[in-house]
Amino acid sequence: MANVLRVGILGSGGIATAPYGVLPNIHHYAGRVEVVAIADPDLALARATATRFGVPVAHGSLKAMLDDTDLDAVVNLTPIPVHAETSRLILARGKHLAVEKPLAATLAEADELIAMAHERDLALVCAPPDLLHEPYARAATLVRDGAIGRVAFARVRSSHAGPGGGPHGWQSDPSWFYREGSGPLLDMGVYGIHQITGILGPALRVAAFAGVTDAVRTVRGGPFEGLEMPVTAADNCLFMLDFGDSAYAVVDGTFNVHASRSPKLEIFGRQGVLSVLRPDGPDLELYRTGIAPGVDGWVQPTEPLARDTLRHTYGRALLVGHLADVVLDGATPVLTAEHARHALEIMTAVTVSARERRFVDLTTTFRPPYAS
């Protein structure tokens, strides 16, 4: 295996081009990852993106990129509804794959992709990359090592106001985010699901509420200001995960959070609390009981417990760097397809639970990346 991973980028949208996206940050992997092509159904957009970021070749389709460019891997940044069909073609052509979340739309599709990767000895990693970020990785090891005792419950915040719901609108037409096959559960709830299951392990069952808050939404600003968007996917999802042994988590996946002062994640244990990414606070905080006789309190370390530097430095390119670590160095994947499959089952179960007003048991599992 060469020392450089030659990748093609599929898709020219926000995850590819935004300041936090793949292309603006891939230079951090110079000499290790080489972007050799980009493809998008909008060939003019692909060409403009290639020119902007110095990508040698632009194509109007995935097939053309696979046919005409010498690639080791593809970074699949397509919209949610086409993840499975595009990933299937990439793996069938013998290419390693980094794919945006969710892995697929159904468990059958996820199973097929995982089987294809195994059969062809191909690396398959799936966003979101949060478990590579230092605060979540350190939180996982602290929980594993008993720093807060037995976990009782967690609160997970993984929502925003929805594409086009902020004052600056959205740079592309955000309507598809509100249609069946997309929605905040698949777009945003997936982050919280990956975070908490990556720390606590596989969940056992789900209970959920979901519905549509407004039948039509209007883009507030930007080039699509005033665009009215019919809402056909549930835009307000709240759900609880049961991890067994009386350990629970409540997670949101909604397009109704304009602002929050609460941490992204709080984990409450019998001997302490972990707080992750509190606005205007440390990236990771630890509260301990019995730090001295009769004294409980927040730990004040001489150095931060974790700094969220990888997110700020590499943005979404971190997913590509992780793929390079797996392919070039044989590193153990943190962002496994099996974990993504479990997250997908949870999201499917949320829909069923909300519709049928019942608990839904889960059958999939995975090995948490920081398990002992």
Side-chain angles (χ1 to χ4, degrees):
M1 176 64 66
N3 292 323
V4 176
L5 188 70
R6 298 164 300 172
V7 305
I9 305 295
L10 179 61
S12 299
I15 296 295
T17 63
Y20 62 85
V22 171
L23 289 171
N25 297 289
I26 201 68
H27 65 90
H28 292 294
Y29 295 104
R32 186 164 177 82
V33 175
E34 180 183 1
V35 178
V36 296
I38 187 167
D40 193 285
D42 185 338
L43 180 57
L45 178 60
R47 286 172 172 163
T49 304
T51 299
R52 177 182 171 190
F53 293 101
V55 179
V57 182
H59 299 281
S61 70
L62 171 59
K63 184 178 184 301
M65 183 168 70
L66 292 170
D67 286 343
D68 299 337
T69 310
D70 191 12
L71 300 169
D72 301 311
V74 175
V75 182
N76 188 349
L77 308 180
T78 54
I80 291 170
V82 296
H83 283 181
E85 64 182 84
T86 50
S87 293
R88 187 182 300 114
L89 180 58
I90 292 163
L91 294 171
R93 297 292 290 271
K95 309 303 179 185
H96 302 290
L97 173 62
V99 60
E100 264 302 322
K101 45 73 183 172
L103 178 61
T106 69
L107 284 179
E109 291 173 339
D111 289 342
E112 180 185 10
L113 296 177
I114 291 171
M116 290 179 70
H118 285 320
E119 290 165 1
R120 293 162 173 79
D121 195 25
L122 296 171
L124 169 54
V125 299
C126 186
D130 296 45
L131 290 174
L132 298 173
H133 300 157
E134 301 95 318
Y136 293 106
R138 186 69 189 278
T141 58
L142 288 170
V143 168
R144 180 198 66 196
D145 295 340
I148 60 171
R150 183 169 67 84
V151 171
F153 77 101
R155 286 197 291 249
V156 189
R157 180 171 62 84
S158 57
S159 300
H160 57 42
H168 304 296
W170 207 252
Q171 291 306 303
S172 58
D173 184 346
S175 300
W176 68 271
F177 284 99
Y178 297 90
R179 298 175 189 147
E180 288 292 341
S182 186
L185 181 62
L186 296 172
D187 184 46
M188 297 304 301
V190 64
Y191 289 94
I193 292 169
H194 272 263
Q195 292 159 11
I196 196 59
T197 56
I199 294 171
L200 299 186
L204 302 180
R205 62 176 180 162
V206 174
F209 297 93
V212 173
T213 51
D214 288 319
V216 177
R217 294 203 179 205
T218 303
V219 179
R220 294 180 58 200
F224 291 87
E225 182 177 3
L227 176 67
E228 293 189 345
M229 304 177 293
V231 180
T232 56
D235 64 354
N236 197 35
C237 302
L238 297 174
F239 53 98
M240 183 172 286
L241 302 178
D242 180 358
F243 291 90
D245 196 26
S246 296
Y248 312 113
V250 61
V251 187
D252 57 62
T254 173
F255 285 155
N256 291 296
V257 177
H258 288 281
S260 176
R261 296 186 185 276
S262 64
K264 295 289 288 184
L265 172 64
E266 293 175 287
I267 305 176
F268 300 90
R270 293 294 298 121
Q271 279 80 51
V273 180
L274 281 168
S275 173
V276 180
L277 298 179
R278 176 171 61 88
D280 301 321
D283 292 332
L284 179 63
E285 296 175 282
L286 172 63
Y287 183 96
R288 289 289 301 269
T289 63
I291 56 177
V295 177
D296 300 347
W298 293 99
V299 174
Q300 301 293 328
T302 55
E303 292 291 330
L305 291 173
R307 291 187 175 96
D308 199 20
T309 55
L310 291 178
R311 182 201 307 264
H312 299 308
T313 301
Y314 296 97
R316 214 56 164 199
L318 190 61
L319 179 68
V320 188
H322 184 52
L323 179 65
D325 291 341
V326 174
V327 174
L328 300 178
D329 302 336
T332 300
V334 172
L335 311 177
T336 66
E338 288 77 11
H339 189 184
R341 177 179 182 261
H342 184 67
L344 178 62
E345 186 188 17
I346 289 173
M347 290 183 282
T348 302
V350 166
T351 301
V352 173
S353 175
R355 182 179 64 242
E356 301 181 4
R357 302 182 180 184
R358 65 179 178 88
F359 291 106
V360 177
D361 292 329
L362 303 171
T363 62
T364 62
T365 190
F366 69 100
R367 179 175 174 78
Y370 302 104
S372 55

